[in-house]
């Protein structure tokens, strides 16, 4: 490119100079020298004076970066140590684990598994979070439960030595695969219980080798070289490049550092024809210090200096060439200023010999003006979308890190007037989509919300000067009102709410709940006002009626002292029907359960919590029956799905389709109709005679089977042992009598088939409290 420019410049100069006099030639040469030579001289001086200084500064900057990043790694490793120590002292991993029956007490086993999964996900470098409990009945959580037997004895041999480490918490490189002893992971070990002098197990963090290498690579921002960590008085060695501690380059670096006899420093080292800059320092770890070493080729550090130097020379040459061009253009400008202007804005003047130069300039200016108008139009079209995005982030709390001044500045840039203003949030929720008079079907929530948002925006424009409507696409919408501080908003919001209610009722054939937040004067308080408005809507009456909640004047939480009518009886009968495979009866009981739960005066939040509680008990019954809910429901988050439904008909349809039907299909595949009828007869017999002295033998005699078959089938169908089911039935009846009657404890025991002393003992064992204490607590709640 420079060569072409030089040749074009030479031809132009030759042509121009050849047609002019001696004065013009001298003037052109003078302008060239004055404009070009100083630039070249300045470039050479800058390169000569600044090159060495920049190189020195870059070397110092590299050392400071390594030291700073080593501190980050030290903090990261320290956080991992604190995290593991915190969990090791948790009561989940106390002395009760020694000899604990993890199979019988599966609920705690699952709790430990979930805890290990949470620990494993707490840091990206953790590949496995494991718990090993030694002793006669060794078990391993990885994070799933695994009992150590003859087949897995080799596994125990890899974990048992970790219990006998010299320290309670320590780092090591350990091989967990007996078949590959050379394949070692960087491992953090904490003996459990925490602080015990006689530990019987260990909590283990096994780290991903690649992510550890990535962490070490942060110590050097350049390609090439070597980075590693080494334990000062141990065998632990971790290299970012996968090298061993005995590799020639690593050995040379260690010998050099040992000869310096310092905790940290930086030096140059020549190795195989290349010069390296080496930085090293100490990391204070548990019971032993580590040393980090980062060696980078000097070319990686000085490459910016080389690039800048070349850039200075290139720019200097370009400036010299540009000076020549400017000298030539300046000479042309002396003689033909208008022609030069036409060439710059409208092209070569020779192409417009028959046109007016000022007409060409005017045309060019009009083109630029039209482009400017087009850009402004595009900006105007995109501004509403930018406002939407900003308000979504604000209301969801994603801008909490911004100061009040920053938020006001951003809103002013979006053309909002926020000076001396107050902010009110309105939250609208549409209900009744599945009602008989509705115009829409399930799956059209986005269309309904879009139509409602258009209506809301059109009506809000009639009442409020500054407002913005947000579409949440799930039958809800939000409105941000920006009002003067000294202006009362009550009348305007009330009138707007009434108009909106009538429009939605008339056009969409739906009902709405609208919550009006209290006014706030700070933009940073708007997310709080929005969350409180959403919370207020959840306290609406669970009926298909219009409701307007003004948080400034109303007690939106409703009647605080109103007792929740939870249908315990229907819940118990529903679960019983599920266990016995009566799908039709279970569906009817579900309808009855929801009718009681949604009786007049029930709040949305109460209905949702009641249904979530029922879902939890149903899932418990499913697990008790021996079915894995995750497999049955294919990993779906049923709680999240249920919490998004706000209408009783949709709740019933969802519960039947997503919960009851899959369970019934699974149950029908597990036992045939004859076995279920026998167990149903046995369960009816127990329910009718639980007050008597019942045994497995007389129950088998009643159903016409032998005790062994009855016991096995009872466990297969219900998921519970015969005696456990009878005990649970008696305890449920006893708790009902304790809650709802004034009978004496002796009479309650007699009513459920127990002697008084034995009843007190078994009740306390199962419920964790005496019958008298249970009655007191139930009356208090």
């Amino acid at each position: 490119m420079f060569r072409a420019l030089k040749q074009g410049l030479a031809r132009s100069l030759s042509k121009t100079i050849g047609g002019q006099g001696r004065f013009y030639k001298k003037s052109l040469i003078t302008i060239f020298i004055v404009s070009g030579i100083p630039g070249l001289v300045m470039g050479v001086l800058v390169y000569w004076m600044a090159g060495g200084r920049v190189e020195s500064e870059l070397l110092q900057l590299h050392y400071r970066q390594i030291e700073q990043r080593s501190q980050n790694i030290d903090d990261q490793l320290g956080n991992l140590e604190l995290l593991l120590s915190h969990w090791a002292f948790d009561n989940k991993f106390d002395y009760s684990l020694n000899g604990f029956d993890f199979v019988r007490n599966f609920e705690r086993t699952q709790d430990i598994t979930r805890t290990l999964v949470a620990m494993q996900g707490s840091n990206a470098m953790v590949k496995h979070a494991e718990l090993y409990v030694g002793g006669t009945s060794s078990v391993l959580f990885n994070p799933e439960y695994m009992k150590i037997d003859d087949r897995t004895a080799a596994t125990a041999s890899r974990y048992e030595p970790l219990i006998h480490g010299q320290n309670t918490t320590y780092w090591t490189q350990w091989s967990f695969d007996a078949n590959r002893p050379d394949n070692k992971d960087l491992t953090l070990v904490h003996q459990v219980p925490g602080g015990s002098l006689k530990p019987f197990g260990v909590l283990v963090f096994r780290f991903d080798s690649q992510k550890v290498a990535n962490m070490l690579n942060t110590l050097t921002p350049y390609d090439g070289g070597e980075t590693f960590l080494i334990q000062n008085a141990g065998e632990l060695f971790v290299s970012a490049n996968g090298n061993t501690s005995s590799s020639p380059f690593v050995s040379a670096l260690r010998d050099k550092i040992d000869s310096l006899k310092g905790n940290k420093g930086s030096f140059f080292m020549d190795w195989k024809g290349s010069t390296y800059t080496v930085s090293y320092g100490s990391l204070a770890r548990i019971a032993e210090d580590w040393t980090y070493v980062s060696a980078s080729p000097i070319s990686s550090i000085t490459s910016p200096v080389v690039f800048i130097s070349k850039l200075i020379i290139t720019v200097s040459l370009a400036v010299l060439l540009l000076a020549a061009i400017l000298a030539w253009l300046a000479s042309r400008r002396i003689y033909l200023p208008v022609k030069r202007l036409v060439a710059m804005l409208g092209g070569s003047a020779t192409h417009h010999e028959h046109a007016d130069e000022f007409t060409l300039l005017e045309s060019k200016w009009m083109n630029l003006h039209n482009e400017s108008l087009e850009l402004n139009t595009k900006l105007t079209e995109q501004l509403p979308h930018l406002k939407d995005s900003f308000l979504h982030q604000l209301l969801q709390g994603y801008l909490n890190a911004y100061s009040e001044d920053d938020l006001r500045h951003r809103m002013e840039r979006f053309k909002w007037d926020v000076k001396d203003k107050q902010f009110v949030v309105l939250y609208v929720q549409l209900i009744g989509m599945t009602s008989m008079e509705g115009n829409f079907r399930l799956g059209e929530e986005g269309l309904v919300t879009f139509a409602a948002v258009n209506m809301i925006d059109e009506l809000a424009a009639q009442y409020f000067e500054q407002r913005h409507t947000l579409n949440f696409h799930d039958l809800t919408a939000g409105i941000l009102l920006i009002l003067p501080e000294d202006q009362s908003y009550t009348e305007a919001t009330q009138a707007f709410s009434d108009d909106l209610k009538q429009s939605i009722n008339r056009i969409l054939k739906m009902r709405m709940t609208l919550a009006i937040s209290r006014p706030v004067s700070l933009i940073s308080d708007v997310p709080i006002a929005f969350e409180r408005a959403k919370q207020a809507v959840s306290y609406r009456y669970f009926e298909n009626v219009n409701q307007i909640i003004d948080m400034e004047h109303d007690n939106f939480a409703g009647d605080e002292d109103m007792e929740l009518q939870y249908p315990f009886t229907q819940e118990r009968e529903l679960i019983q029907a599920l266990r016995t495979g009566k799908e039709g009866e279970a569906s009817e009981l579900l309808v009855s359960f929801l009718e009681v739960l949604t009786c007049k005066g029930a709040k949305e939040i109460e209905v949702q919590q009641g249904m979530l509680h029922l879902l939890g008990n149903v899932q418990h019954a499913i697990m008790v029956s021996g079915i894995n809910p995750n497999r049955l429901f294919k990993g779906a988050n049923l709680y999240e799905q249920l919490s998004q439904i706000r209408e009783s008909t949709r709740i019933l349809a969802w519960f039947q389709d997503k919960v009851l039907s899959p369970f019934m299909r699974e149950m029908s595949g597990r036992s045939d109709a004859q076995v279920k009828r026998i167990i149903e007869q046995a369960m009816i017999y127990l329910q009718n005679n639980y007050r008597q002295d019942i045994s497995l033998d007389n129950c088998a005699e009643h159903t016409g089977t032998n005790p062994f078959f009855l016991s096995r089938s009872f466990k297969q169908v219900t998921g519970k042992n015969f005696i456990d089911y009878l005990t649970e039935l008696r305890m449920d009846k006893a708790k009902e009598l304790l809650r709802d009657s004034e009978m004496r404890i002796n009479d309650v025991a007699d009513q459920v088939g127990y002697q008084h002393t034995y009843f007190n003992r078994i009740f306390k064992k199962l419920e964790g409290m005496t019958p008298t204490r249970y009655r007191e607590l139930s009356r208090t709640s």
Side-chain angles (χ1 to χ4, degrees):
M1 182 182 69
F2 286 145
R3 184 178 301 175
L5 288 173
K6 290 179 180 178
Q7 293 175 353
L9 177 61
R11 288 195 297 269
S12 299
L13 287 173
S14 176
K15 181 178 178 181
T16 302
I17 295 174
Q20 304 297 334
R22 185 175 181 182
F23 176 80
Y24 178 79
K25 296 177 183 180
K26 292 182 179 180
S27 299
L28 181 59
I29 293 173
T30 302
I31 293 174
F32 174 78
I33 294 175
V34 170
S35 60
I37 298 302
L40 181 61
V41 173
M42 182 60 68
V44 173
L45 290 176
V46 168
Y47 173 74
W48 177 69
M49 295 176 62
R53 179 65 176 176
V54 171
E55 181 178 278
S56 174
E57 288 294 331
L58 281 175
L59 291 176
Q60 295 181 15
L61 178 62
H62 171 256
Y63 175 71
R64 290 194 296 268
Q65 285 180 339
I66 299 301
E67 193 171 27
Q68 181 180 3
R69 294 179 183 185
S70 68
Q71 183 61 44
N72 294 337
I73 293 177
D74 190 31
D75 293 341
Q76 191 171 358
L77 297 177
N79 289 336
L80 288 169
E81 295 167 353
L82 288 176
L83 175 63
L84 188 61
S85 296
H86 166 77
W87 283 110
F89 283 89
D90 193 276
N91 56 13
K92 291 186 180 66
F93 308 108
D94 58 13
Y95 288 96
S96 62
L97 293 179
N98 193 7
F100 187 79
D101 189 350
F102 292 94
V103 176
R104 183 176 182 86
N105 300 276
F106 65 91
E107 292 182 349
R108 185 170 182 185
T109 303
Q110 290 180 338
D111 185 38
I112 292 175
T113 298
R114 288 192 294 267
T115 301
L116 291 175
V117 171
M119 293 167 62
Q120 184 172 311
S122 62
N123 191 285
M125 289 201 308
V126 178
K127 179 171 65 175
H128 293 294
E130 302 174 342
L131 169 65
Y132 173 77
V133 179
T136 57
S137 299
S138 301
V139 296
L140 174 65
F141 288 83
N142 185 24
E144 297 292 338
Y145 167 81
M146 180 178 70
K147 181 175 180 59
I148 303 301
D149 51 23
D150 294 337
R151 294 183 295 102
T152 57
T155 301
S157 67
R158 304 308 302 163
Y159 288 86
E160 193 66 27
L162 298 177
I163 302 178
H164 308 293
Q166 296 181 354
N167 300 309
T168 301
T169 307
Y170 59 92
W171 292 84
T172 183
Q173 279 182 303
W174 199 256
S175 172
F176 294 88
D177 189 344
N179 297 325
R180 294 187 294 174
D182 294 330
N183 188 10
K184 297 183 178 181
D185 294 335
L186 179 62
T187 305
L188 179 59
V189 181
H190 199 298
Q191 298 170 350
V192 293
S196 173
L197 297 178
K198 296 181 178 180
F200 55 82
V202 288
L203 274 173
V204 177
F205 274 173
R206 293 169 56 185
F207 297 97
D208 189 307
S209 300
Q210 183 59 46
K211 292 182 179 178
V212 172
N214 293 339
M215 177 188 71
L216 292 181
N217 280 329
T218 61
L219 284 176
T220 173
Y222 311 106
D223 296 329
E226 176 61 56
T227 304
F228 60 87
L229 288 174
I230 186 169
Q231 198 172 30
N232 291 354
E235 297 179 357
L236 188 145
F237 175 85
V238 183
S239 171
N241 298 328
N243 294 328
T244 64
S245 60
S246 59
S247 64
F249 187 39
V250 172
S251 298
L253 288 171
R254 295 177 61 181
D255 292 340
K256 178 66 175 178
I257 293 172
D258 291 340
S259 66
L260 294 176
K261 298 180 180 180
N263 293 330
K264 63 179 180 178
S266 180
F267 59 89
F268 291 100
M269 179 175 175
D270 294 327
W271 179 261
K272 293 185 178 180
S274 299
T275 301
Y276 291 81
T277 176
V278 182
S279 299
Y280 66 97
S282 296
L283 301 177
R285 298 271 56 81
I286 295 178
E288 186 58 56
D289 291 341
W290 294 2
T291 297
Y292 67 87
V293 180
S294 174
S296 298
I298 192 68
S299 58
S300 298
I301 302 175
T302 58
S303 57
V305 178
V306 175
F307 171 77
I308 292 174
S309 302
K310 292 180 178 179
L311 181 62
I312 291 173
I313 296 297
T314 303
V315 170
S316 299
L317 292 175
V319 169
L320 180 61
L321 184 58
L322 180 62
I325 296 174
L326 292 176
W328 174 63
L329 292 177
S331 65
R332 293 291 298 270
R333 186 171 182 271
I334 295 174
Y335 297 99
L336 301 171
V338 175
K339 187 176 180 180
R340 173 182 174 275
L341 186 59
V342 171
M344 291 177 62
L345 297 179
S348 176
T350 57
H351 296 165
H352 307 283
E353 292 178 353
H354 303 290
D356 184 6
E357 290 84 357
F358 289 99
T359 301
L360 295 175
L361 295 176
E362 182 181 359
S363 175
K364 186 64 175 180
W365 181 86
M366 288 301 298
N367 289 337
L368 294 175
H369 179 67
N370 291 335
E371 290 179 4
S372 176
L373 290 178
E374 183 179 355
L375 291 175
N376 284 330
T377 302
K378 291 181 179 180
L379 178 61
T380 303
E381 293 174 352
Q382 294 298 320
L383 188 58
H385 301 293
L386 294 174
K387 286 185 173 182
D388 266 356
S389 176
F390 171 78
L391 286 184
H392 272 288
Q393 295 182 61
L394 176 65
L395 295 182
Q396 297 300 328
Y398 297 143
L399 304 180
N400 288 339
Y402 287 81
S403 66
E404 180 69 19
D405 290 339
D406 291 336
L407 293 174
R408 288 185 177 273
H409 179 66
R410 293 191 65 177
M411 293 191 71
E412 288 171 353
R413 290 180 59 189
F414 289 132
K415 309 303 181 184
W416 276 310
D417 179 14
V418 294
K419 185 177 181 181
D420 299 327
K421 294 292 190 294
Q422 60 180 340
F423 306 92
V424 178
V425 177
L426 278 63
Y427 186 77
V428 181
Q429 176 179 300
L430 303 180
I431 55 177
M433 184 170 179
T434 57
S435 62
M436 296 297 295
E437 60 180 5
N439 298 327
F440 304 96
R441 299 186 299 273
L442 294 178
E444 297 181 343
E445 290 83 354
L447 176 62
V448 176
T449 312
F450 177 77
V453 166
N454 288 338
M455 295 168 53
I456 292 171
D457 199 49
E458 183 177 346
L459 288 174
Q462 302 175 14
Y463 291 92
F464 309 105
E465 181 179 354
Q466 290 195 86
R467 83 283 164 205
H468 197 91
T469 307
L470 291 173
N471 185 351
F472 297 129
H473 306 284
D474 60 351
L475 299 180
T476 62
I479 312 167
L480 176 65
L481 305 180
I482 304 176
L483 307 170
E485 284 185 341
D486 55 352
Q487 175 181 322
S488 175
Y489 66 92
T490 305
E491 294 182 3
T493 53
Q494 187 63 45
F496 165 71
S497 303
D498 292 338
D499 281 357
L500 179 61
K501 174 181 64 178
Q502 296 174 9
S503 299
I504 291 178
N505 295 165
R506 184 180 69 257
I507 299 174
L508 300 181
K509 305 299 183 183
M510 297 179 67
R511 303 294 180 264
M512 77 161 193
T513 300
L514 185 145
I516 306 171
S517 75
R518 294 183 176 90
V520 295
S521 58
L522 299 178
I523 301 175
S524 55
D525 290 338
V526 169
I528 301 175
F530 173 72
E531 288 300 323
R532 289 177 177 172
K534 287 180 63 177
Q535 181 185 7
V537 169
S538 68
Y539 281 89
R540 72 175 181 89
Y541 292 109
F542 199 77
E543 301 173 4
N544 191 20
V545 297
N546 297 305
Q547 300 177 53
I548 298 176
I549 304 170
D550 188 346
M551 299 174 64
E552 182 71 12
H553 304 96
D554 298 340
N555 179 17
F556 69 89
D559 299 329
E560 299 288 347
D561 299 331
M562 185 174 182
E563 184 177 354
L564 174 63
Q565 300 296 325
Y566 186 81
F568 291 98
T569 302
Q570 286 84 347
E571 177 195 89
R572 184 168 58 251
E573 294 176 353
L574 171 60
I575 294 177
Q576 181 67 29
L578 290 175
R579 289 172 176 169
T580 56
K582 300 178 180 178
E583 184 172 3
E585 183 179 343
S587 299
E588 294 175 359
L589 288 169
L590 177 63
V591 174
S592 175
F593 179 90
L594 190 58
E595 287 177 351
V596 175
L597 196 63
T598 58
C599 64
K600 186 174 181 61
K603 305 294 192 301
E604 177 184 293
I605 189 171
E606 297 171 349
V607 175
Q608 284 187 343
Q609 290 175 352
M611 293 305 299
L612 290 172
H613 181 74
L614 174 63
L615 176 61
N617 288 338
V618 170
Q619 290 213 39
H620 176 73
I622 292 173
M623 288 190 293
V624 169
S625 66
I627 300 174
N628 187 346
N630 288 330
R631 179 185 60 81
L632 180 63
F633 303 122
K634 299 179 180 179
N637 189 340
L638 299 184
Y639 294 97
E640 181 180 0
Q641 294 180 16
L642 180 58
S643 64
Q644 301 300 320
I645 306 176
R646 305 183 179 92
E647 300 177 28
S648 58
T649 55
R650 295 178 65 191
I651 290 175
L652 285 173
W654 179 90
F655 216 101
Q656 179 67 42
D657 182 57
K658 300 295 185 181
V659 181
L660 300 188
S661 295
F663 180 55
M664 289 293 100
R665 288 194 298 268
E666 182 74 14
M667 288 293 292
S668 64
R670 296 179 60 193
S671 57
D672 55 30
Q674 182 179 2
V675 173
K676 287 197 293 184
R677 284 196 299 272
I678 293 174
I679 300 306
E680 181 178 357
Q681 293 176 7
M683 295 173 71
I684 293 173
Y685 176 79
L686 293 177
Q687 292 175 5
N688 293 334
N689 299 279
Y690 66 88
R691 300 180 183 88
Q692 310 302 324
D693 185 12
I694 301 176
S695 67
L696 180 63
D697 291 337
N698 55 39
C699 186
E701 181 180 356
H702 174 79
T703 57
T705 61
N706 63 74
F708 174 80
F709 176 82
L710 178 62
S711 176
R712 185 185 62 184
S713 300
F714 201 98
K715 174 67 174 179
Q716 179 183 2
V717 174
T718 67
K720 296 182 179 180
N721 295 325
F722 175 88
I723 189 63
D724 291 340
Y725 179 84
L726 177 59
T727 302
E728 181 179 340
L729 178 62
R730 286 173 168 174
M731 287 297 103
D732 287 343
K733 295 296 183 180
K735 288 190 285 186
E736 184 176 345
L737 292 173
L738 289 172
R739 287 196 308 267
D740 302 332
S741 73
E742 300 296 332
M743 295 176 64
R744 297 183 304 168
I745 304 300
N746 291 353
D747 295 335
V748 172
D750 184 66
Q751 284 292 317
V752 296
Y754 286 121
Q755 294 182 357
H756 178 227
T757 55
Y758 182 73
F759 172 69
N760 284 343
R761 187 165 62 252
I762 193 170
F763 190 98
K764 185 174 182 180
K765 177 181 178 181
L766 296 178
E767 300 299 326
M769 63 184 74
T770 64
T772 303
R773 181 58 178 166
Y774 178 85
R775 171 173 281 176
E776 292 174 354
L777 292 178
S778 63
R779 299 293 173 81
T780 302
S781 60

